[in-house]
Amino acid sequence: QVQLVESGGGMVQAGGSLRLSCAASGRTFSSYAMGWFRQAPGKEREFVAAISRSGGSTSYAVPVKGRFTISKDNAKNTAYLQMNSLKPEDTAVYYCAAVVGSIGYYIQKSSYSYWGQGTQVTVSS
């Protein structure tokens, strides 16, 4: 079992930056592949970024590629999502997710076993 707690959300103007953190409980964080998803009002939860358990492989959704960076610090049991050049359309609740992984990353919601409670990101124009 692992518990995930997101932090770092908030309100920012367009063009600004935020860094989300996802702190995980447990002693086997290095075994987990991680992902970030987001859900805007009235929309389905969508994939944002994913990282392999080692941190060596990553994947990004097209709308955030080149602006967002996912990372993972196994020593600190924490995953991050650095978000730069934010746009109003990035406004959503952001969720981190974890799954015991083999090799590679996972982009499907259904692949993940554990979810955080979400953190709100609001980007004003």
Side-chain angles (χ1 to χ4, degrees), residues 5-10 17-23 36-38 48 68-71 78-83 86 90 92-96 118-122:
V5 180
E6 301 99 333
S7 62
S17 297
L18 284 172
R19 188 176 81 155
L20 305 184
S21 298
C22 175
W36 286 95
F37 292 77
R38 67 187 182 186
V48 174
F68 290 11
T69 302
I70 187 172
S71 61
T78 303
Y80 303 96
L81 184 68
Q82 177 67 45
M83 305 186 295
L86 282 161
D90 294 318
V93 177
Y94 283 71
Y95 299 89
C96 68
T119 186
Q120 177 70 47
V121 171
T122 302

Side-chain angles (χ1 to χ4, degrees), residues 27-46:
R27 297 174 290 179
T28 58
F29 186 69
S30 60
S31 300
Y32 288 91
M34 302 294 294
W36 286 95
F37 292 77
R38 67 187 182 186
Q39 187 166 17
K43 294 190 176 181
E44 298 228 347
R45 191 172 299 188
E46 64 177 8

